[in-house]
């Protein structure tokens, strides 16, 4: 009985997240951001994304779920040298799909940017001037680690 109850709870929770392109969660924003905060967050996250996905030869495709953050993300990606496709769905099989989630967490903002290769998560504190990291960056590589 207990195992069945745990299974039911997990199944219910799994239904809360919709999988989008190539197994990524669907982009969502539940916390509105100012342009200054969106720009600061996009610059920080894209700067860290470059450590896992090389700019210059990579095109990133994403759905624009929020005008403020989508503009900041697109601008920052282009400034770092990525090609950008807005709309998420593309016939370019080489494009790297990206999804983002921005949500409230204990008075701060939790931001997650995910691609099939890597997922970056960080908490930010919002202020009148924009935002600042309020936690270490969490990096989850989705690529297999070569055996040594």
């Amino acid at each position: 009985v207990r195992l069945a109850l745990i299974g039911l709870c997990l199944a219910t929770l799994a239904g809360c997240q919709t999988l989008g392109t190539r197994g990524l969660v669907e982009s969502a924003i539940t916390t509105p951001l100012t342009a200054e905060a969106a720009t600061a967050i996009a610059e920080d996250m894209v700067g860290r994304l470059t450590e896992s996905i090389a700019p210059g030869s990579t095109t990133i495709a994403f759905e624009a779920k929020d005008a403020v953050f989508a503009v900041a993300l697109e601008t920052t990606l282009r400034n770092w040298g990525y090609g950008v496709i807005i709309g998420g769905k593309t016939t370019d099989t080489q494009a790297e799909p990206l999804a983002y989630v921005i949500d409230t967490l204990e008075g701060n903002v939790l931001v997650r940017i995910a691609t099939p290769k890597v997922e970056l998560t960080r908490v930010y504190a919002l202020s009148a001037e924009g935002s600042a990291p309020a936690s270490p960056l969490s990096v989850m590589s989705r690529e297999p680690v070569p055996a040594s």
Side-chain angles (χ1 to χ4, degrees):
V1 173
R2 186 176 213 189
L3 187 58
L5 191 55
I6 291 171
L8 179 62
C9 288
L10 290 175
T12 303
L13 289 174
C16 294
Q17 297 252 334
T18 304
L19 293 181
T21 307
R22 288 175 41 187
L24 300 177
V25 297
E26 189 172 321
S27 292
I29 292 188
T30 61
T31 302
L33 299 173
T34 64
E36 294 80 13
T39 299
I41 291 169
E43 288 174 353
D44 180 49
M45 293 297 266
V46 172
R48 299 307 295 264
L49 183 67
T50 63
E51 297 169 10
S52 299
I53 299 174
S57 61
T58 304
T59 298
I60 302 288
F62 69 93
E63 291 279 341
K65 293 293 184 173
D66 171 82
V68 174
F69 187 71
V71 167
L73 183 60
E74 177 185 8
T75 300
T76 304
L77 286 165
R78 289 188 191 282
N79 287 344
W80 275 93
Y82 291 102
V84 178
I85 298 172
I86 304 293
K89 294 178 177 45
T90 177
T91 57
D92 183 353
T93 58
Q94 299 302 312
E96 187 76 22
L98 179 142
Y100 57 87
V101 176
I102 300 175
D103 202 357
T104 303
L105 178 69
E106 299 177 358
N108 292 312
V109 176
L110 175 70
V111 179
R112 178 172 59 170
I113 290 183
T115 74
K117 293 180 181 173
V118 67
E119 185 173 305
L120 307 174
T121 305
R122 180 174 263 175
V123 175
Y124 293 87
L126 299 180
S127 68
E129 296 80 35
S131 65
S135 75
L137 180 72
S138 170
V139 180
M140 182 178 76
S141 177
R142 297 176 186 266
E143 295 188 309
V145 177
S148 49

